[in-house]
Amino acid sequence: MGSRHELDLPDGRQLVVHDDGPPAADAVVWHHGSPQSGELLPPVVAAARARGLRAVSAARAGYGGSTRRPGRTVAEAASDVAYALDALGVARCLAVGASGGAPHALALAALRPDVVSGVVTLAGIAPYPGPGRDALWFAGMADDGGLRSALDGPSARQRHAETAEFDGSSFTADDYATLAGTWASLGADASRSGEAWPGGLVDDDLAFVRPWGVTLGDVTAPALVVQGGADRVVPRHHADLLVEGLPAAELWLRPRDGHVSVLTALPVAFDWWRSAA
């Protein structure tokens, strides 16, 4: 779908980028969840095309053919995307992040306020507050094993990955219905990516429980925080933490949505940005 680019980064790594739509149009920059290939998913492309927008997505280091970068921070991964936007000639964009992609979308907005004029998070993870202050951060997660093991470092997180299995209770009935319908491509991509690039997920979890390299206060662009009230993967208090820390944020709580079904709000989130422009 669209074009695939293999960019050579200044440090010698390769970054795989996917691009669809008019080159001169404003862009929506999709920051994928964990794990994902970084390929543009049909619902993202469809929502962008319907609004005359360009859609861009980069595979984070360790996913989808992009060179792995162990120990990367959220900001370092976002800086790869910033490089890609310059290479593709993107002058103005909305940074959008779902789940594990949300911190990276926020980091891009913090790093490149000259390009990012708005940011949307869907089921986004909030910054980790630190040991001894993390009870609320973990509360309500159906399966927090990956993130908790990451607190003990790369070796512990890798050992967890060798035996971890998906906890089916993480998703609601609406989540499963969404995966069987409009967002079926997400489920297929996540399953394939988890097997093909397990190191990407390990590196994501390690980055989430460390300082991001930017703060929420660095994000000056308007932000829309979209959250499902029934989310069992990233519970709603993460959205509250994001809104509290972001200088110009509003919360869109969808009480019945879970971690996946909240993605059906994406087209309206695009409209939010266009109306605020």
Side-chain angles (χ1 to χ4, degrees):
M1 185 172 296
S3 303
R4 183 181 189 274
H5 309 274
E6 296 179 356
L7 304 182
D8 294 323
L9 294 167
D11 63 2
R13 290 180 297 115
Q14 186 174 78
L15 182 71
V16 175
V17 181
H18 302 271
D19 179 24
D20 181 273
D26 288 342
V28 291
V29 182
W30 174 254
H31 294 75
H32 63 82
S34 313
Q36 295 269 239
S37 69
E39 295 178 10
L40 283 167
L41 301 173
V44 178
V45 172
R49 286 180 178 175
R51 291 158 179 80
L53 299 169
R54 184 180 186 182
V56 176
S57 177
R60 277 194 300 281
Y63 289 116
S66 292
T67 308
R68 190 176 178 186
R69 186 181 185 180
R72 59 174 162 82
T73 65
V74 168
E76 286 170 340
S79 69
D80 289 346
V81 180
Y83 181 89
L85 297 183
D86 289 339
L88 295 177
V90 174
R92 182 175 181 272
C93 73
L94 170 69
V96 184
S99 188
H104 300 91
L106 291 166
L108 179 65
L111 294 173
R112 294 299 302 271
D114 58 318
V115 177
V116 180
S117 65
V119 58
V120 170
T121 68
L122 300 111
I125 301 173
Y128 179 68
R133 296 181 289 123
D134 58 8
L136 178 62
W137 196 81
F138 281 112
M141 293 184 181
D143 182 4
D144 60 9
L147 291 168
R148 286 194 182 276
S149 67
L151 292 172
D152 295 324
S155 296
R157 181 59 185 85
Q158 183 59 48
R159 287 195 299 272
H160 176 81
E162 292 167 2
T163 59
E165 296 183 2
F166 176 70
D167 183 343
S169 70
S170 298
F171 289 165
T172 67
D174 283 349
D175 287 335
Y176 284 111
T178 303
L179 286 170
T182 312
W183 286 85
S185 56
L186 183 147
D189 186 80
S191 178
R192 175 172 62 92
S193 301
E195 294 180 3
W197 304 292
L201 179 57
V202 169
D203 295 341
D204 273 353
D205 279 352
L206 290 166
F208 296 148
V209 298
R210 296 173 177 171
W212 288 5
V214 296
T215 69
L216 295 179
D218 296 328
V219 181
T220 57
L224 179 64
V225 177
V226 187
Q227 177 66 37
D231 195 329
R232 300 171 185 168
V233 179
V234 181
R236 80 146 285 178
H237 46 266
H238 280 253
D240 295 331
L241 293 170
L242 290 174
V243 172
E244 289 171 9
L246 290 164
E250 58 184 283
L251 173 65
W252 182 11
L253 179 64
R254 295 166 60 93
R256 296 177 180 82
D257 276 337
H259 193 66
V260 179
S261 61
V262 75
L263 296 176
T264 59
L266 187 66
V268 182
F270 287 1
D271 292 337
W272 165 86
W273 176 55
R274 296 173 78 209
S275 66

